[in-house]
Amino acid sequence: IASRILWRVVQAPYESEHDLYQIASALPWHEWFLPTHTIKVKVSAQQCALPSLNFVTLRIKDAICDRFTAACSRRPSVDTTRPDILIAAFLDDRTVTIYLDTSGEPLFKRGLRLRVSEAPLRENLAAGIIRLTGWQPDQVLFDPMCGGATIPIEAAMMAHNIAPGLGRSFAFEKLLTFNKTLWTDLCDQSRTQQRKRALAPIFACDRSTKAIQAAEQNVAAAGFAHTIELRQSNFLTVDAPAPTGILLANPPYGQRMGDDQEMARLYPLLGDCLKQRYAGWTAYLFTGDLRLPKLIGLSTSRRTPLFNGAIDCRLYQFKLVAGGNRQGDGHKT
């Protein structure tokens, strides 16, 4: 679910750029990585009174390089695009915290997805949404607007108890504190705990030929062709794939695809479909269109605020019961 995991190496009060230099230069950087590794310093701040974060970045970088020069007679080079080691500093009005990034590439990059659909979710966001639904691997899961199949693949990884990122590398492997034997043992233990078979099926569909083609390639590359049942179909015209289960969808919304009028036409049809075909299911819709509860015509039983990048979104829960679930029809969820 995390985007990155950072190792906090110091937290201290500061008043000036000189203080930041002194704090950074006191750290034993040469004990953590080699001068042959490339570095990048990334600074962010909130309520910081210093006039220039660029200058702050420069002073912290200088402190690291000067410490290396003193200890090793050699300094690391800077690579702002693909550094071996990312140093992250955060400043508030009086305190600086400096971290070493242990992740490298962001953790949503599982190393599985071959093709990207038109409006993809990041994998860690998809995993977090699945967790928020409370879905368990012995329950049926259905994504009726699957795009490139990010949600079904993340669910399949959970169903098979496969650790995300098991097949990729991480920045901590470049640190001098890295214990390769221990890490190899942990990875081997994780593999022995995987399930060969999923406890319940995972269904996914999309009306777009292009999306299904991308989904098929991604599912096959991830090794889940026997776990995820994919088909090209329009969710509004097909029956539920099981008597009960969890429906989880990321329908299109205006910031990414379509327009307001198109969404205004889609949501009532979506509500009718859920009401008529999915009694006994619990549906979760993740969207950046905050008009959805009003337009869909169903009572929400829970709404969870989330962000998809900079887009303010909600995860809406609908408990679908036989006999109606429409706002104003006398039924409660």
Side-chain angles (χ1 to χ4, degrees), residues 1-323:
I1 294 172
S3 295
R4 292 184 179 276
I5 296 176
L6 305 178
W7 172 21
R8 186 177 70 185
V9 294
V10 70
Q11 187 173 64
Y14 77 94
E15 293 184 358
S16 66
E17 293 88 345
H18 177 72
D19 293 336
L20 298 174
Y21 178 91
Q22 294 296 115
I23 292 165
S25 64
L27 295 171
W29 300 101
H30 58 286
E31 296 179 6
W32 296 330
F33 58 92
L34 296 171
T36 52
H37 286 131
T38 58
I39 66 170
K40 176 183 177 180
V41 177
K42 182 178 180 181
V43 175
S44 57
Q46 188 173 23
Q47 297 180 336
C48 173
L50 298 180
S52 171
L53 292 186
N54 287 334
F55 186 57
V56 168
T57 303
L58 180 64
R59 295 304 287 151
I60 293 175
K61 185 269 295 180
D62 287 345
I64 297 168
C65 291
D66 289 349
R67 182 62 190 262
F68 265 103
T69 301
C72 309
S73 301
R74 185 174 178 180
R75 50 171 285 172
S77 299
V78 173
D79 184 341
T80 59
T81 305
R82 295 181 64 87
D84 296 317
I85 306 294
L86 174 65
I87 298 102
F90 175 75
L91 288 76
D92 61 20
D93 60 342
R94 62 184 66 183
T95 303
V96 60
T97 309
I98 300 178
Y99 307 88
L100 277 173
D101 170 46
T102 68
S103 301
E105 290 281 1
L107 296 179
F108 72 82
K109 294 186 177 182
R110 315 294 203 207
L112 297 175
R113 186 160 63 183
L114 295 180
R115 291 183 57 183
V116 177
S117 60
E118 186 175 351
L121 286 179
R122 288 186 172 183
E123 286 83 345
N124 62 323
L125 176 57
I129 291 170
I130 293 169
R131 292 290 180 88
L132 286 170
T133 70
W135 172 79
Q136 297 297 317
D138 60 353
Q139 294 176 286
V140 170
L141 182 72
F142 179 32
D143 180 354
M145 303 175 186
C146 69
T150 301
I151 288 174
I153 288 173
E154 288 297 312
M157 291 180 68
M158 296 177 190
H160 287 276
N161 200 32
I162 297 173
L166 187 60
R168 55 160 280 179
S169 60
F170 301 92
F172 66 76
E173 296 175 56
K174 298 175 181 177
L175 298 178
L176 297 177
T177 55
F178 174 55
N179 185 329
K180 184 176 182 179
T181 301
L182 176 58
W183 176 242
T184 300
D185 289 345
L186 288 171
C187 291
D188 290 343
Q189 290 174 28
S190 179
R191 291 186 181 95
T192 63
Q193 294 168 4
Q194 295 176 4
R195 300 187 189 99
K196 292 184 178 181
R197 294 181 180 273
L199 301 177
I202 296 170
F203 299 96
C205 71
D206 201 288
R207 67 179 184 177
S208 163
T209 301
K210 184 178 178 181
I212 284 296
Q213 289 174 346
E216 288 174 344
Q217 291 188 28
N218 291 334
V219 167
F224 296 134
H226 297 293
T227 300
I228 300 171
E229 184 176 318
L230 279 168
R231 60 177 171 172
Q232 183 179 353
S233 59
N234 186 338
F235 168 61
L236 300 177
T237 62
V238 297
D239 291 330
T244 62
I246 300 292
L247 183 149
L248 173 56
N250 175 217
Y253 45 94
Q255 290 97 329
R256 304 177 309 163
M257 300 183 299
D259 55 29
D260 288 348
Q261 291 183 346
E262 181 183 350
M263 297 305 101
R265 290 191 298 267
L266 171 64
Y267 292 145
L269 297 174
L270 183 57
D272 289 340
C273 177
L274 291 173
K275 178 188 173 194
Q276 295 166 9
R277 301 171 187 262
Y278 287 86
W281 284 65
T282 302
Y284 293 85
L285 301 180
F286 175 72
T287 180
D289 190 339
L290 305 188
R291 303 172 304 159
L292 184 143
K294 179 179 179 180
L295 294 173
I296 202 170
L298 298 174
S299 299
T300 59
S301 47
R302 191 170 72 199
R303 57 187 72 196
T304 305
L306 295 167
F307 278 88
N308 184 7
I311 302 172
D312 185 16
C313 297
R314 297 291 184 276
L315 178 64
Y316 295 107
Q317 180 194 68
F318 303 92
K319 292 184 177 179
L320 305 168
V321 296

